[in-house]
Amino acid sequence: MRKKRILAGALGCMLACSQPIGYFVAAEIPQVQNINQNENRSMEQIQENLPKTPDELVPDEQDPDYVKMLFQKENEKEQQSAPFSLNSVEAKTTKSPFTGLVYTHAAQLSDCEIVNGIDVSKWQAEINWKKVKAAGVKFVFIRCGYTALSDKFAMYEDEYFRKNIQGAYDAGIEVGIYFFSNSITTSEAKQEAKKTLELISDYKHMITLPVVYDFEAFSNAYRAYGLSKAQVTKNTIAYSDLIRQAGFTPMYYGSPNFLESSFDVAQLTNYDCWLANYTTKTTYRGDYIYWQYSSTGQVDGIVGNVDCNFFYSGKAGEIEDPDLDPDDFEEGFGPVSGLMMADHDTTEITIQWDPLEEADGYKIYRSKSYGGAYKQLKTINWNEVTAYTDATVMESEGRQYYYKVVPFLLDEDGNMKYGTESDILTAHTQREHSFRLKTTSNVHLREQAGTEYPSVAVVPSGTGLPFYKFTLSTLDKKWYKVTYSQNGESYTGYLSGSYVTIYTYGKTTKNVNVRSGAGLNYKIQRTIPNGTKVTIAGSSKTVAGTKWSKVKYALKGKNYSGYIPTKYIQQT
């Protein structure tokens, strides 16, 4: 009876959990295979006798990865969901060598290098890591252990962990770690962290990627099913902090629905996120640096399916230029001084700097985010030309861009010797209108635009603030620069657009019809008089060449909303 109940939950029936946690009877739990129980056998002997292929592995309904695998197999058709259309003109697409499908990456990650990787556990059985490397796998997350699905808290090592980490490392593949949690309390999460550190202690030099808290409880087959968002968040923090204290980078894992329902992501901004979303174009708008996009990849060297991932390497503000060879740098030459924004409008930014007497020219680089990669815009082959107008910026108000200038010398053969790069110049398109925002949750005010930067204050939910600039990494990822006062102190920094609502204020310039939607085909709701005060919510929509704005307004003490042409609004 219990076996049927577990499989029903695992296969997605999602039965209402009418029993409290701890329902499973210990006497009914099948014997869990655990290599730690084989005290009289060496690790080498144990690994020699491990099954070679997934088909030879014994089913284990207490292993959360096994139950997850059953669920995924049952729902394979749903994993490749229909693409979601975004107006992300800057988004990048790549083809996965492991699924053969083309994937559209979030536009805010368009500056990143996209790296292919996988994650594995015992359920891939014997792996030929040299073939995996040759197939194009650059990194792997390896399961070191897990907490069983039994009612009693019990942790186990993944039988293939030691073999997998040694094999991946020897093949030259970057290694990260994950532990599949089923913790119910903060104390259990800390025990899981200690177990993780115990298992990886002999392999510290091999681990260059994060150590992941993999908490999933998507059906009542899991002992932690139904755990509150507050408790899951506390457990994640408890695990992650111990991992960080030990010198590793912590990270947490989840699907869009799970990240929304089971994690308070606003409290986890100190940790990286690994997104699980089996689609060719994720609609998730939160921050993440790894994307697990499929569980049905095919990789040479692995029998059967394997999870596939993208890693987004931001280059941490580095200049991406293959011509900048370290051997070609001239010591003591540069940097330029006086770098500043000389002019701007909504479509162009002009920068300038002081001439460097010995320079033969300058290279100009730009990044669309503070910590993003810098790509070359222009090579100027004159010492006297010390200004550049960037006409490739997006038409916008207050969008920030980041610039660096590198001087160079030319030898008799025309070869370049480079000087020291300049400090970062932050410049922005012209801001013509006033805007306000309201926070939708407690949110960190960051030193720069990105969750990787320190928090200078926490702005409470419902706080209204004017903002005078914003940096727009891409079309769908915004960071707003604000000044916030708290307890007599003022703090200036950046708020994530994921946790704010934007308002623009204005008034109508004529009597104008308000429609139920954006376009002349929509029903006229009423006509509002010239000079009516309106609040503009969200971005404008262009229909048949006309921009429409959704507005909120009041008439005779009642509040209304609808759409009017943007050209009939004078912003205030």
Side-chain angles (χ1 to χ4, degrees):
M1 188 67 170
R2 179 182 174 280
K3 180 176 180 181
K4 290 181 180 178
R5 182 174 182 272
I6 288 178
L7 291 178
L11 296 177
C13 294
M14 308 302 288
L15 300 174
C17 186
S18 60
Q19 300 293 337
I21 293 172
Y23 165 79
F24 301 133
V25 180
E28 295 178 330
I29 300 171
Q31 180 64 43
V32 177
Q33 297 298 316
N34 177 18
I35 61 173
N36 295 335
Q37 295 171 348
N38 298 282
E39 297 177 355
N40 297 323
R41 301 169 62 199
S42 69
M43 184 58 64
E44 291 76 12
Q45 289 174 321
I46 293 169
Q47 292 186 344
E48 282 178 6
N49 295 322
L50 289 175
K52 301 300 182 185
T53 67
D55 290 340
E56 298 174 8
L57 290 165
V58 177
D60 185 354
E61 294 153 16
Q62 292 302 307
D63 187 319
D65 260 320
Y66 176 74
V67 174
K68 178 182 177 181
M69 184 173 61
L70 292 179
F71 177 81
Q72 290 171 335
K73 188 173 182 180
E74 181 72 11
N75 294 273
E76 279 181 4
K77 291 182 180 180
E78 297 179 9
Q79 291 185 23
Q80 294 298 334
S81 57
F84 181 83
S85 178
L86 294 173
N87 295 321
S88 300
V89 296
E90 298 177 76
K92 184 187 295 185
T93 60
T94 60
K95 185 175 182 179
S96 168
F98 311 133
T99 66
L101 300 176
V102 174
Y103 293 84
T104 301
H105 304 277
Q108 71 265 26
L109 301 169
S110 60
D111 279 344
C112 296
E113 177 187 358
I114 299 171
V115 185
N116 288 302
I118 59 175
D119 59 274
V120 301
S121 69
K122 66 174 278 186
W123 299 106
Q124 277 68 50
E126 189 79 14
I127 295 175
N128 186 324
W129 286 102
K130 289 184 179 179
K131 287 185 176 181
V132 170
K133 171 73 172 179
V137 171
K138 303 296 184 183
F139 71 88
V140 60
F141 282 97
I142 298 171
R143 188 178 75 163
C144 67
Y146 62 93
T147 295
L149 300 185
S150 58
D151 59 336
K152 182 179 180 181
F153 180 71
M155 299 177 292
Y156 299 103
E157 177 178 341
D158 185 303
E159 292 97 316
Y160 283 77
F161 163 61
R162 298 173 192 270
K163 198 167 189 177
N164 279 336
I165 191 170
Q166 190 67 56
Y169 179 76
D170 289 345
I173 298 173
E174 296 286 316
V175 172
I177 298 295
Y178 78 93
F179 186 96
F180 205 129
S181 166
N182 260 288
S183 57
I184 294 174
T185 66
T186 303
S187 174
E188 288 181 352
K190 289 180 178 179
Q191 291 181 64
E192 290 174 332
K194 291 175 181 177
K195 181 66 173 179
T196 301
L197 294 172
E198 173 192 321
L199 292 173
I200 66 178
S201 61
D202 293 336
Y203 305 96
K204 195 168 186 177
H205 64 288
M206 299 183 183
I207 301 169
T208 57
L209 302 181
V211 175
V212 183
Y213 183 68
D214 178 8
F215 178 90
E216 302 171 68
F218 53 83
S219 81
N220 60 359
Y222 290 74
R223 71 185 293 267
Y225 178 66
L227 200 63
S228 71
K229 177 186 285 191
Q231 189 60 54
V232 173
T233 303
K234 288 178 182 178
N235 291 355
T236 305
I237 293 171
Y239 180 97
S240 299
D241 284 350
L242 287 180
I243 295 299
R244 175 167 284 159
Q245 290 170 20
F248 297 97
T249 300
M251 185 163 69
Y252 64 99
Y253 167 98
S255 66
N257 288 339
F258 208 64
L259 291 172
E260 173 66 25
S261 64
S262 296
F263 291 91
D264 186 350
V265 174
Q267 293 190 44
L268 300 176
T269 53
N270 288 328
Y271 318 108
D272 291 329
C273 177
W274 179 7
L275 175 69
N277 196 190
Y278 302 148
T279 177
T280 56
K281 189 172 185 177
T282 180
T283 62
Y284 182 65
R285 300 298 184 91
D287 294 309
Y288 55 93
I289 62 171
Y290 291 87
W291 174 19
Q292 185 187 78
Y293 59 87
S294 177
S295 64
T296 57
Q298 301 294 308
V299 177
D300 192 25
I302 298 177
V303 177
N305 293 339
V306 65
D307 293 344
C308 300
N309 302 271
F310 294 120
F311 167 54
Y312 299 96
S313 174
K315 295 293 186 181
E318 297 177 4
I319 291 176
E320 286 188 352
D321 186 347
D323 294 332
L324 289 182
D325 191 319
D327 294 334
D328 292 333
F329 278 85
E330 185 74 17
E331 189 174 351
F333 173 45
V336 301
S337 60
L339 183 59
M340 60 178 289
M341 182 175 70
D343 198 6
H344 64 175
D345 59 24
T346 58
T347 61
E348 294 181 345
I349 296 172
T350 298
I351 65 172
Q352 71 179 37
W353 57 95
D354 297 334
L356 195 60
E357 183 176 350
E358 62 269 39
D360 290 313
Y362 311 91
K363 282 194 170 188
I364 315 301
Y365 298 88
R366 187 192 74 188
S367 174
K368 288 177 284 185
S369 60
Y370 183 83
Y374 283 76
K375 297 184 178 181
Q376 183 175 332
L377 287 177
K378 183 72 173 178
T379 298
I380 298 174
N381 292 305
W382 298 93
N383 170 276
E384 296 85 358
V385 178
T386 58
Y388 173 71
T389 297
D390 180 6
T392 66
V393 300
M394 180 182 296
E395 183 176 359
S396 58
E397 290 189 46
R399 175 169 178 167
Q400 290 182 310
Y401 291 87
Y402 305 87
Y403 297 88
K404 291 183 180 182
V405 176
V406 176
F408 63 82
L409 302 169
L410 293 174
D411 63 20
E412 295 179 355
D413 298 322
N415 298 315
M416 288 185 179
K417 289 285 187 178
Y418 301 99
T420 304
E421 66 187 52
S422 69
D423 290 335
I424 298 171
L425 168 67
T426 303
H428 56 89
T429 53
Q430 187 176 12
R431 177 179 171 274
E432 298 177 336
H433 302 106
S434 60
F435 303 89
R436 286 187 66 84
L437 59 79
K438 180 179 288 186
T439 56
T440 57
S441 66
N442 296 343
V443 58
H444 287 283
L445 184 66
R446 301 282 176 181
E447 284 186 359
Q448 291 291 340
T451 55
E452 66 270 31
Y453 298 103
S455 172
V456 297
V458 175
V459 182
S461 178
T463 302
L465 294 168
F467 62 92
Y468 52 92
K469 296 176 186 176
F470 63 85
T471 179
L472 179 57
S473 296
T474 60
L475 290 177
D476 62 356
K477 185 62 178 178
K478 299 179 182 179
W479 287 83
Y480 297 93
K481 188 174 183 181
V482 302
T483 296
Y484 167 66
S485 296
Q486 183 183 71
N487 299 326
E489 297 286 339
S490 291
Y491 305 91
T492 297
Y494 294 79
L495 295 177
S496 168
S498 300
Y499 305 105
V500 302
T501 300
I502 305 303
Y503 298 99
T504 310
Y505 299 93
K507 62 182 179 180
T508 56
T509 59
K510 60 172 289 186
N511 296 346
V512 60
N513 292 328
V514 182
R515 296 182 181 269
S516 59
L520 295 175
N521 294 330
Y522 287 89
K523 180 181 177 180
I524 296 175
Q525 296 175 325
R526 62 187 55 81
T527 300
I528 57 176
N530 181 15
T532 301
K533 293 181 180 180
V534 296
T535 299
I536 307 168
S539 302
S540 62
K541 297 181 180 180
T542 300
V543 178
T546 299
K547 285 186 177 181
W548 294 77
S549 293
K550 185 176 183 180
V551 298
K552 298 179 180 180
Y553 58 95
L555 287 178
K556 297 181 180 180
K558 293 185 177 181
N559 295 320
Y560 301 96
S561 66
Y563 289 83
I564 62 175
T566 306
K567 62 184 177 182
Y568 299 135
I569 303 172
Q570 177 183 345
Q571 293 186 348
T572 57

